[in-house]
Amino acid sequence: MNIFSHFEEIVSDALSSLQSAGTLSADLDLARVAVEPPRDPSHGDIATNAAMVLAKPAGMKPRDLATHVSAALEASGHFTKVDVAGPGFINMTVRDSFWQTRLADVLAARTAYGVSEMGKGQNVNVEYVSANPTGPMHVGHTRGAVFGDALANLLEKASFDVCREYYINDAGGQIGVLADSAFLRYREALGEDIGEIPEGLYPGDYLVPVGRALAADHGDKLLTMAKAERNEIVRAAAVEAMMDLIRGDLDALGIEHEVFFSERELHQSGKIDTTLKQLDNKDLIYVGVLEPPKGKTPDDWEPKPQTLFRSTNFGDDVDRALKKSDGSWTYFAPDIAYHLDKYQRGYTHLIDVWGADHGGYVKRMKSAVEAVTEGGADLDVKICQLVRLMRNGEPIKMSKRAGTFVTLRDVVEEVGRDAVRFMMLYRKNDAPLDFDFAKVTEQSKDNPVFYVQYANARIHSVLRNAAADDGLSGVDITDSALATADLGSLSDEAELGLIKHMLQYPRMIEAAAEAHEPHRVAFYLFELASSFHALWNKGKDHPELRFIVPEQRDVTLARLALIRATGYVIASGLGVLGVEPIEEMR
RNA sequence: GGUCCCGUAGCUCAACUGGAUAGAGCACCUGCCUUCUAAGCAGGAUGUUGCAGGUUCGAGUCCUGCCGGGAUCGCCA
């Protein structure tokens, strides 16, 4: 559990006691009162802004109110010290034994430590990747894939019921191109010399097996078949093959979606029509003519009546087209139906993970979700900025035409799944990311992937040594034994610092889940690893601080409990990131 | 031109949804390295948070206007 919510209760109890004593009025809004660890540890263990937030509504000066609150907190008996500082902060200090004994919580929970009840009873649908099934995944897709997956893990850690979903764009014009490209490969498989792949078709080798499979299944029958019928066969086979390819790519990253949702099925089931009918009944659809974009009118612009959705009613800048000039749906129309379908399947929290190039699409989608669910669902769109691949400090130039674009597989095979995942998450999603091949595989402190893994490996190294050490032979170092160790000896500043750092993990998980920001987990782990390494290094100058002190069994056991718990927190956090903790590095 | 994102130490980036003296790593300076794993360690210096206003006890964070960079801009997905 999050121990800071424990202190929140204590502070809130203190405030109520002031209310019943008449010092504070009973109808005070306590919503803005925060109970947090102070940034500067010298300020104590816990701080609250209660006095500053409540001063004005209470009609008191912050420092005066703080004195009252601090007296009430002191009276609670939970703290060894309560101070008023600065403009009216109240700083609280807890006795060391409080922190020490909390280690047992970690040892009991193991890698389940940090699980929060925050999302209990709520479900959330996370849609990510959704790459067009026209070829293998490239690096551009990788970041969104890893981000979405880690976010899903994070929300699960916060007890949300999570659905990982992939929207298959299998209905648009690009799928027609895919089918034509596959048909060409089919003719090739039948022995025809197809020469150069014509401009506009997909030239990739990955379609060669699709052509062969079609030839094996159908012989030369497709050549004489009616075009519509043949197209359907080729399209279905090609999309199926591409999805297999993509699923394989995702598997290489350790990603598995529960739901693959087909856009094509939306068209066929008539759901688009019924969805738009629903909007039409609310007078949210009309036929009108849009203004050209200001300042940049396209050359071929001509005013045309279009079927439009009134997204401006919901905060969008212009109304958005639902039909193309040939009468078929735009991409937007089925997407509205799709999001309604998610809602009808019971999801009230929707998250979409998109690439940076779709940023201009966010407002209309949020508008549509609000309209079509009548405010029943909320949509959060997470935009992942571009990834720049670097080698030796130089950006790698990619060109689809020249066939030099780097696939997801290329990257995973070169640096490994764990390193790819960690690095993709070691940056806020809306900031661009440089991915340097050399740095990611480097074994040094400069590489956060390695630094965190190395901390865990060191921990297990010590545990192995402890199990093998003659001076300790016969001593029980199982978790249950460590949990009962006398932890009072963990009194060094670095030891207490590590404990306190570790105990912030549940709070960090909740905040990250709330904000939909998995990168916070990665940064937290780097800092926790840093705390651990610092303690390790301190043992060099101060041998009495080393983890294994053969002549002092109790101290050793306490320290083993400390690092065992640290290892669990690291493993737990890496689990959220989808990275395998390494226990031995040779 | 409209919209969205970004702008923080010389460089790459954080900053717990408004908290106290804005923090890490790299690079730089000084001193250490035959170990529970030096794949280094300890310490030091480093800032007008792009600019100008505003909101309030308090702003890197929220609001307005500029400057600069990126993405995008009726029928591609």
Side-chain angles (χ1 to χ4, degrees), chain A residues 561-581:
Chain A
L562 172 63
I563 63 168
R564 176 65 278 198
T566 308
Y568 281 136
V569 174
I570 291 175
S572 170
L574 287 178
V576 172
L577 305 183
V579 173
E580 202 68 36

Side-chain angles (χ1 to χ4, degrees), chain A residues 256-523:
Chain A
E256 198 175 343
H257 293 79
E258 279 112 48
V259 174
F260 286 86
F261 195 99
S262 160
E263 178 190 353
R264 192 180 165 76
E265 281 174 28
L266 274 178
H267 286 83
Q268 290 172 340
S269 66
K271 268 189 179 146
I272 302 175
D273 298 279
T274 55
T275 302
L276 295 194
K277 185 87 192 158
Q278 187 184 322
L279 289 175
D280 200 18
N281 290 340
K282 290 182 219 162
D283 195 29
L284 292 172
I285 292 177
Y286 68 104
V287 176
V289 181
L290 288 177
E291 296 281 317
K294 283 173 188 162
K296 189 207 156 207
T297 306
D299 298 339
D300 58 349
W301 178 272
E302 46 183 301
K304 271 188 195 169
Q306 289 177 291
T307 302
L308 300 168
F309 166 59
R310 292 190 196 278
S311 49
T312 46
N313 285 17
F314 305 90
D316 201 356
D317 310 300
V318 289
D319 293 334
R320 302 293 180 176
L322 295 166
K323 278 187 181 174
K324 302 179 192 174
S325 49
D326 67 359
S328 64
W329 299 117
T330 62
Y331 177 76
F332 188 35
D335 219 2
I336 297 175
Y338 173 44
H339 282 76
L340 174 59
D341 187 85
K342 292 186 199 174
Y343 178 59
Q344 287 169 338
R345 277 184 280 139
Y347 295 101
T348 52
H349 300 300
L350 307 179
I351 300 175
D352 289 356
V353 180
W354 296 348
D357 52 342
H358 289 63
Y361 200 77
V362 174
K363 278 189 184 176
R364 81 188 69 172
M365 200 65 244
K366 293 182 91 144
S367 300
V369 167
E370 193 184 336
V372 87
T373 69
E374 297 179 321
D378 54 78
L379 170 66
D380 187 15
V381 180
K382 304 299 281 188
I383 296 291
C384 287
Q385 281 294 335
L386 303 177
V387 176
R388 207 161 50 136
L389 280 188
M390 312 280 284
R391 200 181 285 283
N392 307 321
E394 291 293 316
I396 299 176
K397 289 186 184 132
M398 282 184 271
S399 154
K400 268 186 188 168
R401 197 173 301 166
T404 56
F405 69 89
V406 181
T407 65
L408 179 150
R409 288 296 182 113
D410 295 336
V411 179
V412 172
E413 278 167 19
E414 181 163 342
V415 308
R417 171 202 293 186
D418 288 339
V420 172
R421 291 193 60 123
F422 195 101
M423 281 314 283
M424 289 286 171
L425 293 165
Y426 199 64
R427 188 109 320 174
K428 235 179 344 194
N429 61 286
D430 52 11
L433 183 151
D434 285 349
F435 187 96
D436 194 313
F437 278 104
K439 193 147 225 171
V440 172
T441 47
E442 190 176 285
Q443 301 208 331
S444 80
K445 195 179 175 179
D446 305 353
N447 178 5
V449 187
F450 169 78
Y451 193 65
V452 172
Q453 291 282 26
Y454 188 38
N456 193 54
R458 273 182 160 172
I459 286 166
H460 283 86
S461 169
V462 175
L463 292 171
R464 282 191 298 270
N465 284 338
D469 193 300
D470 290 340
L472 290 167
S473 59
V475 175
D476 185 0
I477 60 165
T478 59
D479 288 356
S480 49
L482 292 179
T484 61
D486 175 11
L487 302 167
S489 62
L490 299 173
S491 56
D492 186 81
E493 202 183 337
E495 291 171 328
L496 283 167
L498 180 57
I499 294 173
K500 290 176 186 177
H501 204 151
M502 185 183 334
L503 296 176
Q504 294 206 23
Y505 177 70
R507 186 171 176 275
M508 182 279 302
I509 288 288
E510 288 184 348
E514 179 78 39
H516 300 164
E517 288 183 348
H519 78 274
R520 294 193 198 189
V521 180
F523 280 95

